[in-house]
Amino acid sequence: VSAILACLKALAEDPEVRIQRVVNKLRPDFEAESTLGYRDVLVNLCLDTEESRRLGVNRHVCELQLVLVSFARIKTDAGHARYVQWRNQRAA
């Protein structure tokens, strides 16, 4: 968790990063049932650099997923596919 906090601090202090939104799914009151127990911290951000302005992409929003190593080790494409199927069935 300390590495995630350090990363968030570095992003917040970087003058070329514009943080748009942070979703903290590691907080104790997060209802993990909605993600089948998966947790991370999502950061939506824009990169505002000379090059991104030149290319016209400085307002494009990117999603950065900060994940605990223990979750990253067990994350698989098949597991994500099952989650997407479950999520889509819930929305139907």
Side-chain angles (χ1 to χ4, degrees), residues 6-78:
C7 185
L8 288 169
K9 185 175 189 247
L11 289 170
E13 293 174 352
D14 189 326
E16 294 181 332
V17 173
R18 305 282 182 257
I19 296 176
Q20 305 297 312
R21 179 177 77 140
V22 176
V23 179
N24 181 3
K25 292 185 270 184
L26 294 177
R27 65 180 204 279
D29 65 334
F30 176 72
E31 302 216 10
E33 299 82 29
S34 66
T35 59
L36 293 177
Y38 182 77
R39 292 175 176 254
D40 60 13
V41 177
L42 299 180
V43 182
N44 295 124
L45 58 89
C46 298
L47 295 178
D48 191 10
T49 65
E50 185 178 321
E51 185 175 7
S52 68
R53 287 189 296 275
R54 182 180 60 77
L55 294 171
V57 297
N58 58 307
R59 294 181 184 217
H60 288 214
V61 178
C62 305
E63 180 178 277
L64 174 65
Q65 297 178 355
L66 303 176
V67 184
L68 296 172
V69 171
S70 56
F71 276 95
R73 284 187 179 134
I74 62 172
K75 191 175 178 180
T76 65
D77 290 340

Side-chain angles (χ1 to χ4, degrees), residues 73-91:
R73 284 187 179 134
I74 62 172
K75 191 175 178 180
T76 65
D77 290 340
H80 182 69
R82 284 191 304 274
Y83 165 72
V84 169
Q85 183 180 26
W86 172 82
R87 182 194 63 200
N88 291 345
Q89 287 175 347
R90 279 187 59 194

